[in-house]
Amino acid sequence: MSHTAQRPLMDSQYTTATSLPPPAPYYATTSTPTTIPDTMPGPSYLHDPRQHRAPAAYEEEKEAGGLSTAESYCGSIGFDEREKRTYELVVCQQPLHARMCGFGEKDRRPIDPPPIVKLIVQQEGQQGPVDVQTLQTPFFVLHVTLWSADREEERNIISNPPKCTRVLMGSLVSSPSLLKNPAGEQGLYFAFPDLSIRTEGRYTLRFSLMKLASSDFQTDAKSKIIAQVFSDPFTVYSAKKFPGMTESTELSKAFAKQGLKIPIRNDGKYR
């Protein structure tokens, strides 16, 4: 992957939520979808095979036995049976690289550029996305986890008995914000401006979308995952090898002007 300051124009949005425990994975099947156990009827979600296919490289690797389970990939488009809506995640600002932050707590270096994910909602039988102004946005949350570059192994924790240490640092949960991209188009975006990684290597990020229901506020509740999407692989460098931070993208600048708390740099000299 190129490490130049030149990057494609993208979109995003965000508001940091308090940390939540890692969500219980939900994987769609062809059978009757699982419903949320609750005293009130809750939504159930499918990953519509007509609208989504796993990346070709993933399917080839899976057929060759390179991936251990189908649970390594859950579709980027989820379908709400009750509301008859599809929820699609699009990574519109991909992580490029980062400088490892080690095991101290003071020298935290964020992933560059900050990952930004767009949520697109469509109503069955209608053309075009649902008007984002009509969505109950406070109930959507996006959770991020760290994976190996081949998407096969989760890399969130380093086990060094008797202790376990987090590898991915920062706010791991984001709420959506209503923002306009540089072209003036309004959308729902999740941003992760303060993620950092303790150890060098090649990684990818997995983003999992959840919609909180009344049952999720009960003791020991577990949220269903509506949709998941992986970022492109990126490299985390040691301090000596890190090529430096790049200039902020037009997308980041546009969102910062609208009040999104995201670091902005006007050149690539920051290391």
Side-chain angles (χ1 to χ4, degrees):
M1 183 178 295
S2 171
H3 304 297
T4 62
Q6 199 79 20
R7 274 187 250 118
L9 199 61
M10 305 164 265
D11 326 77
S12 155
Q13 130 139 43
Y14 143 112
T15 27
T16 303
T18 55
S19 59
L20 295 177
Y26 171 78
Y27 307 102
T29 66
T30 54
S31 60
T32 303
T34 306
T35 56
I36 297 176
D38 191 10
T39 54
M40 298 175 62
S44 57
Y45 302 102
L46 298 168
H47 297 286
D48 190 344
R50 298 168 300 172
Q51 302 190 47
H52 176 73
R53 295 289 184 273
Y58 173 87
E59 293 292 357
E60 292 171 4
E61 192 171 354
K62 179 180 172 185
E63 290 176 5
L67 294 179
S68 55
T69 70
E71 294 181 348
S72 296
Y73 194 87
C74 187
S76 63
I77 300 179
F79 182 69
D80 185 332
E81 283 280 274
R82 187 183 67 180
E83 297 182 343
K84 302 299 180 183
R85 285 178 173 177
T86 58
Y87 295 88
E88 180 179 5
L89 294 175
V90 178
V91 182
C92 52
Q93 181 153 287
Q94 296 281 357
L96 175 63
H97 59 198
R99 172 180 164 178
M100 61 175 282
C101 64
F103 292 89
E105 298 300 327
K106 294 183 179 180
D107 189 20
R108 292 268 306 277
R109 303 301 177 105
I111 295 174
D112 178 42
I116 294 173
V117 181
K118 184 176 184 179
L119 173 61
I120 301 172
V121 183
Q122 290 188 297
Q123 187 73 44
E124 187 176 63
Q126 295 182 5
Q127 290 188 341
V130 171
D131 182 359
V132 292
Q133 301 277 6
T134 65
L135 297 175
Q136 293 180 304
T137 56
F139 296 99
F140 290 103
V141 292
L142 194 66
H143 183 263
V144 61
T145 50
L146 186 67
W147 287 70
S148 57
D150 60 6
R151 305 178 180 179
E152 185 175 356
E153 297 179 0
E154 195 166 348
R155 296 289 174 83
N156 287 305
I157 300 292
I158 290 180
S159 180
N160 186 18
K163 296 192 302 182
C164 291
T165 305
R166 281 174 55 187
V167 179
L168 182 62
M169 304 299 292
S171 299
L172 307 186
V173 178
S174 175
S175 299
S177 299
L178 192 59
L179 298 169
K180 291 183 179 180
N181 66 13
E185 299 166 338
Q186 196 170 56
L188 281 178
Y189 297 91
F190 300 85
F192 294 85
D194 68 340
L195 295 179
S196 57
I197 298 173
R198 292 190 185 277
T199 56
E200 60 183 313
R202 289 279 291 172
Y203 301 98
T204 185
L205 298 172
R206 189 173 78 175
F207 302 96
S208 302
L209 178 69
M210 293 165 285
K211 186 178 181 182
L212 301 180
S214 58
S215 61
D216 296 319
F217 298 98
Q218 299 174 359
T219 305
D220 300 325
K222 293 183 179 180
S223 298
K224 297 288 189 298
I225 293 178
I226 303 174
Q228 291 179 319
V229 67
F230 280 97
S231 73
D232 291 342
F234 61 96
T235 301
V236 178
Y237 295 92
S238 65
K240 290 184 178 180
K241 295 180 181 178
F242 184 56
M245 305 288 275
T246 55
E247 182 180 350
S248 295
T249 63
E250 293 303 315
L251 183 62
S252 293
K253 293 176 182 177
F255 287 171
K257 290 178 180 178
Q258 297 171 66
L260 181 66
K261 294 182 179 179
I262 192 169
I264 296 298
R265 292 173 300 277
N266 293 321
D267 57 52
K269 296 179 182 179
Y270 178 69
R271 295 178 64 88

